[in-house]
Amino acid sequence: MRKPDLSIEFCGVRFPNPFVLAAAPPTDSAEMIARGFDAGWGGAVVKTLGLEHVEVNLVSPMMAGLAYEDKNLIGLENIDLISNRHLPEVLQEVSELKKRYQEQVLIVSMMAGTEDEWKEITRRVQEAGADMIECSFSCPHGMPERGMGSAVGQDAALTYERAKWVVEAASVPVLIKLTPNVTDIRPIAQKVKEAGAAGITCINTLKGLLGFDLDTFAPIPDVGGKSTAGGYSGPAIKPIALRFVSDVAKDVGIPVAGVGGVVTWRDAAEFLLAGAGIVQVCTAVMRYGYDIVEELIEGLGYYLEEKGLGTPADLVGRGLPNVVSHEALSRDYKVVASIDGDLCVGCGACIVACRDGGHQAIEFPEDAAGTGNERIPGVDEEKCIGCGFCRTVCPVTGCILMKERESEA
Amino acid sequence: MSDRTAGSGALVEFDRTYAPHEAVLEASRCLMCEDPPCNRGCPAGVDARRFIRKIRFGNFLGASRLVREANLLVGVCGRLCPQEILCMEHCTRAELDTPIDIAGLQRFAGDVELGTLAPLPEVADERSQRVAVLGSGPGGLAAAVELRKAGYQVDVLERSGTPGGLLTRGVPPFRLERSFAESELEYAKRLGANVLPGRGDEDPARLLRSGYDAVLVAVGLWKPYTIGLPGEDLEGVHVAGDILAVVADGGRPDLGRRVVVIGGGNVAIDAATTALRLGAERVDLCCLESHDEMPAFRSEIETAQAEGVEFHTRTIPVAITGEGGKVVGYEGIGIRWKEPGLLVPSNAERIPGTEFRLGADAVIEAIGQGVADRYEGVETDERGLVAAEPETMATSRAGVFACGDVTSGGATVVQAVAEGKRAAEGIDRYLRSLGDSASGGGDGR
Ligand SMILES: Cc1cc2nc3c(=O)[nH]c(=O)nc-3n(C[C@H](O)[C@H](O)[C@H](O)COP(=O)(O)OP(=O)(O)OC[C@H]3O[C@@H](n4cnc5c(N)ncnc54)[C@H](O)[C@@H]3O)c2cc1C
Ligand SMILES: Cc1cc2nc3c(=O)[nH]c(=O)nc-3n(C[C@H](O)[C@H](O)[C@H](O)COP(=O)(O)O)c2cc1C
Ligand code: SF4
């Protein structure tokens, strides 16, 4: 219907929009990527490739979802490996895709072992026509046991060394995809910067164990009675991803491709505010199809228009100055819970939450019999410390507000 | 969600629409089916799955605009469509629990831009050809919008002083706030459709001769049928259309305490529920059909029942009785069908001993409407309905097209919209076949 200009420059490359398919099953063949581009994605990271001699021996099943109440996929766990496709074949497809789609950005993800191998795959990927390269130092399962994937990204020295090999061999911008399975990503990201890479992609999946089957005692996904910790992705990991993106963008100062849990344009806008220059998506695409990019594009476009902002670049990093240390937070700013009696449906969930999870500050009124307000809770402002938990359990948007207290000056 | 209270006297009752988070919650129940069956249920071609997805992922403006692209009457159809027999009837989710509330979500989408000026779709290069649309109801307006999008110069000639057709002069305001029809009419005007009220005496042939390149007849059905009962000329006997038009215009006619409505369609139901709101203490609805045979929408019948309308189904009127020139009662008798399935008075056999009498201060006849005018060279069927070719809506006269109730004999808003869109395509194809004269200039409108 309408086409807002969402184009953005990232690491010197112009993307028609900041929405990019992450390295994962949706980018495992040219046919799939082409459908993604046709749907409107601004770029794609081809699923991680290895050299011919690297054996990729997949297991099945390799995925399971975390169901929570009425949602059957708030998080996805996978023990997939890098692409099991033959390198020359995929590189041939990359060349053909590049001929067909000039505007969209094609990034190729890759993984290797030795210096020679890294340099060889870099050269071959580039020759195929990749616009950018993404090195996976981050797969948390399978590959680390062989000294690759997150085994690299968890070690600042290894990260520096391998990043440098690729940068030396590359003539296109290099992204290093880092793992969140570290205590502090910043020293590692710093090394990526020193090695001369153009940017960092974060995060890859979080290492997790999805659950157990209570009849067979087998972990999930159950591979013939056994399983292993895998990579956790999807909406559940968004807050963690935002944290890593903002850490890198703020404290290291290198371009970031944000990824982890993006579903809606709002999520994407938040990544931009946290400092991401482009936003990658995997699980949501697997779940809902390539078409959801239509909602990302339109939604972000309408938002920018409404805010009077020009392009997505105007959002990048705009939230970072407001991310500060705990120490730096104001102690003068105090809020108190306030319940809107007109909106309240009278469930009393806030009472339970405050009683057992807070400070016993909310109760049904004692003297309201016969007024019709019997089930509209009241807040004892003396007891309320303004923690905000009641608001999170209220089923009605806007019913509980945290109002600023008059300062006691 | 609906919160109607009969007898409250309120003539404007608002259906509450979803709050944004409620809409997202409902939309997230959508299974996002491949080859979604809901979409096949919409005559106007609204892509239900897609607009529901837009709501789910927080793209509310996108949802509003997508629906409006396909059906300018977003808000109207969100309220009036019998969606339980259209999109929602086919919803896969019903296999799990209950269908997605597509009607409610469409209402939400329509309300997103209510009160603001929804941005207009792109208009193709202006073309100089002129099209006259007779009638500004749903059919005429839908066609006018599509014709404007294609670049034609469009005049909508409307007989009444109040444009909008049955949306502004038929459907009771407690089912459809007038502001919807008005804002949707405004949209057509902003797009450049020239709506001219008070122009009811035009004939297509004459319009063609006077410089229009095509004419669309979308005049609806505005000649009320009457039964010809003894006592029909008494004071207090009305046709439904008259009462509903007065009420739609803000009037509150006094019908008395006891009202009898004759008819089994939506108009009869609306007349009955309107009578309740006008203060009637008892409303009896008498119709030929059984409950299951009544042509009215199920949801409307249920509402009327819940509001206390008394139904006398499978009965036929005998007489209206009066005193001093005024209605005092109604007489009817039970029937059975001589031949099953043929629901017309001539097929009704009266059952002796089932005679009944009802006291009445007013009797409202709601047995249907017919075509009010005939047009030179335009073929009609035995009921006077304009015969139109279903693909293009072309009539027997070259350059004259028809859509909506005047061809269907009375259907739904969404069907009129669907036919209006098809007619616009038919007109476009016809005018292009005459030789392309896209001038880029038009006459500047
Ligand atoms: C009481 C009532 C309740 C209804 N409820 C529903 C419902 O809940 N859901 C639903 O989907 N449908 C409902 N309908 C049906 C729906 O309103 C119609 O199917 C729809 O309005 C048909 O649209 P139209 O454009 O063909 O005709 P109309 O809406 O009848 O519009 C025709 C217009 O043409 C004008 N006109 C007539 N003659 C001429 C002339 N010679 N020159 C110029 N203009 C002329 C008329 O004044 C009118 O404005 C209801 C109908 C009624 C009467
Ligand atoms: C099944 C599956 C396979 C994946 N394979 C790869 C891969 O080959 N290379 C890679 O860098 N990341 C891979 N990822 C990680 C994603 O690219 C992405 O970083 C992660 O899923 C978080 O984003 P999301 O929440 O949008 O899914 C994979 C993820 C999933 C779910
Ligand atoms: S049929 Fe129902 S569940 Fe399926 S896409 Fe349509 S609305 Fe959603």
Side-chain angles (χ1 to χ4, degrees), chain A residues 221-271:
Chain A
D222 176 347
V223 183
K226 304 262 188 294
S227 197
T228 184
Y232 192 49
S233 63
I237 72 165
K238 189 187 96 178
I240 301 161
L242 276 178
R243 192 261 286 190
F244 280 104
V245 169
S246 62
D247 271 358
V248 172
K250 192 176 171 80
D251 293 342
V252 182
I254 180 170
V256 184
V259 51
V262 173
V263 182
T264 69
W265 67 268
R266 292 177 167 274
D267 301 327
E270 288 170 332
F271 272 85

Side-chain angles (χ1 to χ4, degrees), chain A residues 285-303:
Chain A
V285 172
M286 293 174 65
R287 168 81 176 80
Y288 303 114
Y290 297 116
D291 290 354
I292 59 158
V293 74
E294 187 177 306
E295 274 32 282
L296 294 172
I297 291 173
E298 286 183 18
L300 187 68
Y302 293 140
Y303 169 74

Side-chain angles (χ1 to χ4, degrees), chain A residues 90-167:
Chain A
V90 183
L91 292 183
Q92 176 62 31
E93 291 183 3
V94 166
S95 314
E96 282 159 20
L97 265 179
K98 228 21 254 177
K99 280 188 212 113
R100 236 176 103 190
Y101 296 92
Q102 271 108 39
E103 204 198 349
Q104 288 82 352
V105 179
L106 200 58
I107 306 167
V108 174
S109 173
M110 54 187 219
M111 187 189 285
T114 66
E115 176 172 1
D116 287 346
E117 286 167 5
W118 274 110
K119 288 189 165 164
E120 181 193 338
I121 197 167
T122 302
R123 197 178 30 75
R124 289 172 64 186
V125 161
Q126 240 164 230
E127 275 166 14
D131 297 309
M132 298 174 89
I133 285 172
E134 186 178 278
C135 305
S136 174
F137 290 4
S138 48
C139 178
H141 46 261
M143 308 320 287
E145 292 155 26
R146 297 196 241 165
M148 293 191 279
S150 63
V152 177
Q154 286 169 332
D155 183 315
L158 290 181
T159 296
Y160 176 79
E161 187 184 50
R162 279 151 177 77
K164 195 136 181 81
W165 294 338
V166 176
V167 170

Side-chain angles (χ1 to χ4, degrees), chain A residues 22-23 25 47-48 63 78 80 177 203-205 233-234 259-261 282-283:
Chain A
K47 180 155 168 74
T48 308
M63 288 182 222
N78 84 84
D80 186 16
K177 187 167 181 180
I203 58 177
N204 202 314
T205 50
S233 63
V259 51
C282 160
T283 305

Side-chain angles (χ1 to χ4, degrees), chain A residues 1-2 70-71 263-266 287-288 291-292 294-296 298-299 302 305-306 395-397, chain B residues 21 25 28-32 49-50 53-54 56-63 65-66 69 122:
Chain A
M1 190 173 320
R2 58 189 292 284
D70 64 333
K71 298 280 176 237
V263 182
T264 69
W265 67 268
R266 292 177 167 274
R287 168 81 176 80
Y288 303 114
D291 290 354
I292 59 158
E294 187 177 306
E295 274 32 282
L296 294 172
E298 286 183 18
Y302 293 140
E305 192 178 290
E306 190 188 309
V396 185
T397 309
Chain B
H21 70 284
L25 200 65
S28 75
R29 292 177 62 241
C30 170
L31 304 175
M32 294 178 66
R49 173 193 187 269
R50 192 153 155 230
R53 185 185 72 202
K54 288 177 186 295
R56 176 183 195 143
F57 297 125
N59 179 11
F60 300 153
L61 276 176
R65 290 170 194 184
L66 178 75
E69 270 284 293
E122 266 177 48

